[in-house]
Amino acid sequence: MPKGASKSGAARKAAGADPKAGRPAGTTPRTGKPRARKTSPRQHSPSAQRADSSSAAARRVLKRLVQGETPPTQAMSIVERLAGSPYANPRVRSGGPDASARKTLDLALGMAETMFRYGAGALEVETAMIAVTAAYGLENIEVDITNQSVLLNYSPKDQTPITVMRVVRSWTNNYAGLALVHRLVTDIVDGNVSRAEASQQLNAIVHQPKPFPRWAVTFSAGLFAAAIVAFIGGSPLGSAVGFASTILVSLVQRVLGRWRVPDFFTTAASGFLVTALAMLFWWLDATDAANLDIAPGIVVAGGILLMLPTGRLVSAVQDAINGFPVTAAGRFLSAFLTFGAIVAGIAVALVAGALVGMPRLEVTEVASSQYPFAVTLLLLAVALATISITEQSPANLVLPTVLIGVGGFLVSVAAETAGIGPRLTPAIAAIVIGMASRIVALRMGAPQLVIAVPAILFLFPGLSIFRSMYGLSIGLDDISAGVIGLFNALTVILAIAGGVVFGDNLARPLTRNLNGNDRRNRRR
């Protein structure tokens, strides 16, 4: 190439001309206009970068302050309902939902029906159903629970939805069965049980005999009444009358149950028998026909404690607090009907006694234990052990129930010594019992209710109920005092139930590592 050409090309390049198109560099081929220059991030100055990043950060902070972390109408994942429950962080099966989803739904419904029949609360039933369906790979699940029915809806995307429902028509005392279902759900959530194995185990739990035979339950009920009468302040003869009347009541309830008599009338007849027998023995003492030392109010108080709907009241308060208003309303209505039946039976017995000429009672005297403090603790321990047998609790939970109940009694004694009122003292003891029951029960593979309900029974004001009903039925001059006393008794009962639920919630941070975190760590 000639040297002149090379120089001319270099001159054009130095002057900014394009050697290929004969046009200035940086222009477009068609128009010859200057082309927009693209600047790389490296060409920005450090001050400009800092300004842009600080502006973006400020916008993000402002957006979070104004809008929040998530949109306000975003639906909550139903698996998040398991947070804080014993079934948190379930091991979800990979590979999508099972083709036979109906079998999983039937398994979850069978568990829910069994748990409801054995006395579980609505929140525990709901979390168990969610945990089981999630563990077997079913999403898009909705659960609806009322007082007697459980509805489960499965609506996968682009498929026909499935809705199944189960109605619970019977209840029984079987805390051992409830604990077994709790352990089965825990094994399912851990991923250790297949669906077929879970169905077989649930069927075995339903058909498994209760841990204690019927005669042992009847004898334990009488022994509980005798121990609690002595614990409240009754004499040995009063304990004997309480034992005999409770045995008789158990036999009558069994006969009326075979005759399909409604629970309301069965409970009313039981309250009548307990009161009538106590008044009869007291009348014999009052007429000098025998030298007996018996306080009918204490005997009745010990006899009606077994009839009080303790488990339903605790579950009703728990359901109301946890957002199940329909279920809570149904449980409250059932519990108050039972309470009304007890009151009606006591009132009929008192009126009948007055008609046959029984003298008036002195119900304003304050009762206290006639035995040393160590003997009082022993009587309470016997009462707690026998009520655990009556509720068909697992055998390995009887001793923990006794220890927790005795601890709650010591707390109530300390609170009473400190000058706390008689209405707040049982609630404080119930809070302590509720906390300890959750911690111990979850460690031993059972729900909190199994320990808490038998452990709080001694706190219920049975003597106040009898005194109030005597004022309403016999003492016409003390009707207002009877109404106030009955209202106070109801207030204390609700405070005890609320204290158990509050203690359960207080203990949740202490029990997170028992199931959920351990399960999450194993999965990691």
Side-chain angles (χ1 to χ4, degrees), residues 396-480:
N396 63 332
L397 291 181
V398 174
L399 181 58
T401 302
V402 171
L403 296 178
I404 291 175
V406 170
F409 171 70
L410 295 177
V411 170
S412 65
V413 170
E416 188 176 356
T417 304
I420 300 176
R423 296 180 183 87
L424 191 58
T425 296
I428 294 176
I431 292 173
V432 175
I433 291 175
M435 290 184 62
S437 298
R438 179 180 177 87
I439 296 173
V440 175
L442 291 185
R443 287 187 179 276
M444 302 187 69
Q448 183 246 15
L449 200 70
V450 174
I451 294 180
V453 171
I456 65 170
L457 194 59
F458 74 95
L459 295 173
F460 282 77
L463 187 57
S464 298
I465 296 173
F466 175 80
R467 289 171 176 172
S468 302
M469 287 314 304
Y470 189 84
L472 288 173
S473 304
I474 304 299
L476 299 179
D477 298 334
D478 300 328
I479 292 180
S480 60

Side-chain angles (χ1 to χ4, degrees), residues 228-404:
I228 206 70
V229 166
F231 171 77
I232 296 174
S235 62
L237 180 60
S239 297
V241 174
F243 177 85
S245 61
T246 303
I247 295 293
L248 180 60
V249 164
S250 299
L251 297 177
V252 169
Q253 287 179 344
R254 195 174 302 169
V255 173
L256 295 180
R258 287 199 297 264
W259 293 350
R260 302 291 183 180
V261 176
D263 290 338
F264 180 88
F265 299 108
T266 300
T267 306
S270 302
F272 172 82
L273 282 177
V274 170
T275 308
L277 287 176
M279 294 292 293
L280 177 62
F281 278 91
W282 174 79
W283 190 23
L284 293 176
D285 185 23
T287 55
D288 294 331
N291 188 13
L292 304 177
D293 182 16
I294 183 174
I298 296 177
V299 176
V300 174
I304 67 174
L305 283 182
L306 278 175
M307 307 176 199
L308 292 176
T310 311
R312 270 177 286 177
L313 280 172
V314 174
S315 298
V317 174
Q318 189 177 37
D319 294 343
I321 293 175
N322 292 326
F324 297 91
V326 177
T327 308
R331 290 182 187 270
F332 273 126
L333 178 60
S334 176
F336 285 139
L337 278 177
T338 303
F339 186 80
I342 296 173
V343 168
I346 294 174
V348 171
L350 292 175
V351 171
L355 292 177
V356 297
M358 288 186 180
R360 289 176 57 91
L361 287 173
E362 180 60 39
V363 296
T364 58
E365 57 183 5
V366 179
S368 59
S369 179
Q370 302 179 4
Y371 304 98
F373 188 73
V375 178
T376 302
L377 288 180
L378 180 61
L379 291 171
L380 178 60
V382 172
L384 292 171
T386 51
I387 190 60
S388 299
I389 296 174
T390 304
E391 296 289 349
Q392 295 287 357
S393 297
N396 63 332
L397 291 181
V398 174
L399 181 58
T401 302
V402 171
L403 296 178
I404 291 175

